[in-house]
Amino acid sequence: MNMKNFINGIWTTSASNKTTDIINPGNLQDKVGTFQDSTEEDLQQAIQSAKNAKTPWRKLSGATRGQYLYKAADILEKNADEVAEIATREMGKTLPETKGETARGVAILRYYAGEGMREEGDVIPSTDSDALMFTKRFPLGVVGVITPWNFPIAIPLWKTAPALIYGNTVVIKPASESPITFAKIAECFEEAGLPAGVLNVVTGKGSVIGNGLSIHKEVNGVTFTGSNAVGRTIGANALQRGAKYQLEMGGKNPVIVEKDADLEAAADATISGAFKSTGQKCTATSRAIIHQDIYEEVKQLLVEKTQKIAVGDSLEKDVWMGPCASKSQLDNALNYIEKGKEEGAALLCGGEQIEDSNGYYLKPTIFDQVDNNMTIAQEEIFGPVIALMPYSTMEHALDIANDVDYGLSAAIFTKNVQNMLSFIDDMDAGLVRVNAESAGVELQAPFGGMKQSSSHSREQGQAAQEFFTDIKTVFVK
Ligand SMILES: NC(=O)C1=CN([C@@H]2O[C@H](COP(=O)(O)OP(=O)(O)OC[C@H]3O[C@@H](n4cnc5c(N)ncnc54)[C@H](OP(=O)(O)O)[C@@H]3O)[C@@H](O)[C@H]2O)C=CC1
Ligand SMILES: CCCCCC(=O)O
């Protein structure tokens, strides 16, 4: 597919007349398509279209806006297999995972379609008995959406759907590794009859189009998911001009395995959390903090299970883990593996690229003898690499778990209620999961990080309303 930009309801080529190829990271002979290498001129057109569309879109009832989302959901569901396959070919996630993500996208659209008929304010008794006082929510206006490649369906939709249902218009810049996937989703909105200018898609370099969205005075809010380095820039740009911004960023997520845990279940969840999606989830497990009494047993379980993982072409039926999403992701993970060895960690398994492969394949990797001050225990690797560390007491485990700049998700395996309560209360993370892996975001619940994982708003569920609307307090006498 040679993707064009979607501006004012029309698929258009960029003013640059340049395109960039998308190559399947799991099969370097497979050219998925091309996307527009857009310019600030293209972005200006998109923002102007969104601005022109925002008042009529806002003035529709929430129920009417919801009908567009319900239709888009039905169309996406009809095209799910095609969308999933394109996502797999663009960024290397296995087909079962992209099919599951597409189903999640359909559910997200339907969830927010329903939001169009739910309450949007409160009646608050005034001290003046002759007056009526209430709150009412209003859309921000034009919302800029900047998304990463690792969830090319779910993340753009869990931003775009609430933005639209709460009355905003959208200009989205999808990640350059996975733009065609969102183009297919935009086609679903187009087929649903979404009015021109309500949703606009502009592809291209983040430093041009993404940055342009963060600095443009007609973009009233910016929602971003991606790395901390980029998020900080976007947040600073938005703050500079008084725009609302939402940043969801990196993680360094721990699993604590207590000595009373179901060790088999804990090992399975650690493997899944660490290596599903090739470890490229912000909620991925990257540290396993294991009680010293069962450390050797759990370590052995993890190595045995890891060495059985089928790594290969994500389109193949029996493949459990696909390639890294790009050469830069592969090189980034290999650099961290070298750093781990330099700093004295012990490589238990994996740690190298799969040679003679036709893609960016990395063996799932486990490090032992890791000190929490090491780089591989502190920095987000965003690849299939996990660091094992022992602990003695629950207090010690939580000290290690919290001793990072991030606070996105965390897990514990234990049967002891007091351990569960201590973990829930004292683990500084936005998503804490007991006897379940660290990944596991549900669309109906608030999602976001603490510390440097987030700008501290929450996405998903009804929490999304807080970002995508402003509240007016109304007094009538
Ligand atoms: N907290 C969360 O919920 C999640 C966090 N993440 C994080 O995202 C990262 C991986 O995703 P990745 O896409 O590589 O992240 P990046 O931060 O590299 O890119 C994210 C998006 O930002 C764009 N971008 C790049 N530079 C700029 C800029 N200067 N101004 C504005 N936009 C810019 C990118 O465009 P382009 O593609 O063209 O470079 C892309 O669309 C990891 O750190 C991961 O933890 C991922 C998923 C969820
Ligand atoms: C962007 C984060 C997505 C997390 C997917 C999960 O944990 O289910």
Side-chain angles (χ1 to χ4, degrees), residues 146-150 155 173-177 204-207 210-211 224-227 230 234 248-251 282 329 380 382 408 447 453:
I146 305 168
T147 53
W149 45 261
N150 64 329
I155 293 178
K173 192 214 86 71
S176 294
E177 287 85 353
K205 293 184 186 63
S207 56
N211 186 64
F224 165 81
T225 293
S227 63
V230 172
I234 291 170
E248 284 305 325
M249 299 173 284
C282 54
Q329 285 298 123
E380 180 181 57
F382 218 59
L408 190 55
F447 174 61
S453 291

Side-chain angles (χ1 to χ4, degrees), residues 383-436:
V385 181
I386 189 167
L388 310 187
M389 289 167 274
Y391 74 91
S392 52
T393 65
M394 185 49 59
E395 185 182 5
H396 180 209
L398 286 163
D399 285 347
I400 296 171
N402 283 322
D403 182 21
V404 289
D405 291 337
Y406 298 103
L408 190 55
S409 71
I412 187 171
F413 279 80
T414 182
K415 299 186 180 80
N416 178 294
V417 173
Q418 189 49 56
N419 286 339
M420 294 176 191
L421 297 176
S422 299
F423 172 75
I424 291 163
D425 289 349
D426 301 335
M427 180 67 224
D428 299 333
L431 175 64
V432 290
R433 291 165 55 88
V434 178
N435 294 325

Side-chain angles (χ1 to χ4, degrees), residues 101 125 155-156 169 203 233 244 250 254 338 415 423 464 467:
E101 188 181 340
I155 293 178
T169 55
T203 59
T233 304
K244 202 168 180 181
E338 285 314 306
K415 299 186 180 80
F423 172 75
F467 177 74

